[in-house]
């Protein structure tokens, strides 16, 4: 078991990194779409990003630990993430 742990942890870390990259790309697509729509309609959209639950470092979720019950809620502006129309 001790010899397998580093392999297991490294595999989990690899899967997490891949999933985070995938979600980053999806959010980027949403941001770009919102920015285009705002330019077309001369509007300013409030973008809300949230997670439905947290996860432990070992990948557990749905439990009652702080890591599993806390989630993320963000209200970024396009300028706060480098997407302001004036900066492009």
């Amino acid at each position: 078991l001790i010899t397998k742990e580093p392999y297991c942890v490294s595999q989990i870390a690899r899967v997490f990194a891949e999933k985070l990259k995938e979600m980053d790309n999806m959010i980027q697509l949403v941001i770009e779409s919102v920015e285009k729509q705002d330019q077309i309609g001369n509007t300013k959209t409030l973008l809300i990003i949230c997670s439905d639950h947290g996860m432990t470092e070992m990948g557990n979720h749905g439990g009652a630990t702080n890591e599993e019950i806390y989630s993320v809620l963000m209200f970024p502006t396009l300028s706060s993430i480098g997407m302001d129309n004036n900066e492009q």
Side-chain angles (χ1 to χ4, degrees):
L1 184 63
I2 294 173
T3 59
K4 291 183 179 181
E5 186 174 341
Y7 174 78
C8 178
V9 171
S10 68
Q11 289 301 310
I12 290 171
R14 182 184 57 77
V15 170
F16 279 174
E18 290 172 1
K19 184 52 77 174
L20 287 173
K21 182 73 173 168
E22 178 185 347
M23 294 299 103
D24 284 349
N25 290 337
M26 291 178 86
I27 290 172
Q28 182 66 34
L29 290 172
V30 169
I31 289 169
E32 290 171 359
S33 176
V34 166
E35 183 181 49
K36 280 183 186 177
Q37 292 301 314
D38 280 354
Q39 287 174 349
I40 292 169
N42 195 27
T43 59
K44 292 187 182 242
T45 300
L46 171 63
L47 182 62
I48 300 172
I49 301 171
C50 64
S51 64
D52 59 346
H53 58 76
M55 187 180 314
T56 67
E57 289 184 20
M58 293 303 293
N60 296 326
H61 60 283
T65 66
N66 284 342
E67 293 138 323
E68 294 167 284
I69 61 172
Y70 290 147
S71 61
V72 174
L73 180 62
M74 296 174 22
F75 300 89
T77 62
L78 294 179
S79 60
S80 74
I81 52 178
M83 296 293 295
D84 190 278
N85 293 337
N86 297 328
E87 294 178 4
Q88 292 185 2

